[in-house]
Structure formats: C-alpha cells, structure tokens
Amino acid sequence: MLDDFFIRAMLAGLGIAAVAGPLGSFVVWRRMAYFGDATAHAAILGVAISLGFQISIYAGTLLVALAMAMAISALVSRGQAMDTMLGVLSHSALAVGLVAISFVPQARSDLSAYLFGDILAVGRADLALIWAGAAGVLALLAWRWQRLLTASLNEELAMAAGIDPRTERLVLSIALAIVVALSIRVVGSLLISAMLIVPAATARGLSRSPERMVGNAMLIAAAAVMAGLWASLRLDTPAGPSIVAAAAGIFMISQAFRRA
C-alpha cells in the first residue's frame, strides 16, 4: 500500500494534522501566532545548514527551530516587547535563511519545495519520522496537559497553583520546534503556522470546552489534508498550499454558519 505516493502523502498529512490540532489550540490560546511564524521561518536557515553540511533536513531544521524558540523565550523573559521581537526575528530569520540557501547550489533549483512543501515526495523513512515525532509531541502535551492549559488560560492562576508559566512556555516552544521540523516536507516553512492556526481558530468557534476544541481542530486539520490532496490531484495544484487553502475554506464556511 505504501508504494503508492498518494497514500504516503495522505498518511504524512494526517500525521501532521494529528499534532497540529492540539498544538495549534495552545498557539491560539496563548496568542503565539507570530511565535510560530518566527520558528517556521527559521526552518529555511536549518535547510541551508543541513544541505551545506550534508546532514538530515529534519535534524538541521529542528536544531535551528529550537535555537530560535530559545532565543525568543530569553528575549521575552528580559522584558522585551513580544510582538516587536517576534516581528524582527521572524523576518530576519527568513531573510538570513534565503541568503544562506543561495550559497547551496543543490537547493536553489528546489527552493519552492522547502518554502511550500513537497508532500507528494514523502518517502517511507519520512513517513515513519513524521508519525514518531507526532506521537512524541502528543505524549508530551498529554503529560503536561493540565499545567499547560492552566498556564495558557490564566498565568496568575497558574502561579497561585505552583505552576511556572515560563516552564510551560518552554515546553510549548520545544513542541513547536519539533512540529516545524516535521512539517517542512508537508506544507513548507511559509505555511506551517497556517496549518497550526487555521484549524484551531475554526474549532474555537465550534467548541464549548478545551478538550472539544482540540478534538475538533484535529478533525478539521485532517479534513483539510484530505480535501487539499484531492484538489491537488484533480486540479494539478501544489499540494501544500492546497491543504492550507482547504483549511481556510473550512474556516470561512464555519464563520458563515455562525453568522447565520
């Protein structure tokens, strides 16, 4: 069954959807959209480093994404304005990454695959890594669920309960870096944060509890993957952007029904 490239693409997309739902919910609750952008944009620098030193794309991307997440957390803890720092680091990381990747000849001809994803080229090894990483992130979120939820919804309440919000922010930063590294082949560095935010934002208006929102976000992300891949196959459009466009379409439909 896995010899079929479309089946592999579908399974890879569903693996990302499984983890994008819960992690994206925390991104929405904590208003970390720009944080996701900064970490995702740094992935291009990770790609350049990986190709330049001939190491795994996933390893290089993860290292750079983790470094970016740690840098943002350190700057914010020093009292720097979150939105300003994220704006500076996000665009700077993308620019530096694009400059760095221009020095890697083998990456120039395939730059769009790293910017917008190339899910149809996912192999068996990629598929195993995506699902293993997704399972690890889901286990981490399940283990820290109550602490993460309390710190996300009310930091003062969290501190009163003996929970350090900085620790939980660090846990989310690590989880986000892992998902960015896993998603680089699926939707690309420019669309990763959209895959996190759009399904969660859609689910937020349809859910009455955090747990229900996480479940709905996972289902919406999975539906976007299936619809986007189907559209890509039928209309011969890029798969990664088609998946995100499908998620955006579901969001718009949900908003129309809410207003009705």
Side-chain angles (χ1 to χ4, degrees):
M1 181 179 72
L2 294 183
D3 289 333
D4 189 333
F5 74 95
F6 187 80
I7 298 297
R8 289 197 301 269
M10 181 183 66
L11 292 176
L14 291 177
I16 296 301
V19 72
L23 185 58
S25 297
F26 281 108
V27 169
V28 169
W29 291 330
R30 297 185 69 94
R31 299 181 181 178
M32 292 173 63
Y34 278 119
F35 191 103
D37 275 338
T39 308
H41 289 172
I44 287 296
L45 180 57
V47 170
I49 292 173
S50 300
L51 295 176
F53 290 94
Q54 296 184 344
I55 61 176
S56 167
I57 293 291
Y58 296 108
T61 303
L62 178 59
L63 288 174
V64 174
L66 281 172
M68 175 62 75
M70 300 300 179
I72 294 171
S73 297
L75 288 171
V76 171
S77 66
R78 290 183 181 181
Q80 299 285 352
M82 171 74 87
D83 57 344
T84 302
M85 284 297 99
L86 290 179
V88 170
L89 291 175
S90 175
H91 297 95
S92 299
L94 180 59
V96 171
L98 291 173
V99 169
I101 211 168
S102 69
F103 292 102
V104 185
Q106 63 266 38
R108 293 182 187 177
S109 60
D110 203 24
L111 182 59
S112 63
Y114 302 114
L115 292 175
F116 305 110
D118 191 11
I119 190 174
L120 298 179
V122 167
R124 293 189 181 189
D126 298 313
L127 191 56
L129 192 58
I130 287 171
W131 274 97
V137 171
L138 288 174
L140 177 64
L141 296 179
W143 172 47
R144 308 288 297 187
W145 171 257
Q146 196 57 53
R147 289 174 171 269
L148 286 169
L149 184 61
T150 304
S152 297
L153 299 181
N154 192 319
E155 290 195 355
E156 293 182 357
L157 179 62
M159 288 187 287
I163 300 170
D164 186 355
R166 292 174 298 181
T167 300
E168 307 314 315
R169 189 184 304 121
L170 180 60
V171 170
L172 284 178
S173 300
I174 293 172
L176 188 58
I178 294 172
V179 172
V180 165
L182 295 176
S183 303
I184 192 75
R185 292 293 301 273
V186 177
V187 291
S189 66
L190 295 184
L191 300 176
I192 293 170
S193 57
M195 194 60 189
L196 288 167
I197 296 166
V198 177
T202 306
R204 189 174 196 174
L206 305 174
S207 311
R208 297 190 177 185
S209 70
E211 293 80 8
R212 182 65 63 84
M213 177 174 165
V214 166
N216 287 340
M218 293 172 72
L219 292 175
I220 292 167
V225 167
M226 301 293 288
L229 286 176
W230 179 85
S232 175
L233 184 65
R234 293 289 183 178
L235 305 176
D236 193 25
T237 55
S242 296
I243 291 172
V244 176
I250 295 172
F251 174 80
M252 296 302 295
I253 291 171
S254 71
Q255 294 301 300
F257 275 103
R258 285 186 66 191
R259 290 174 183 173

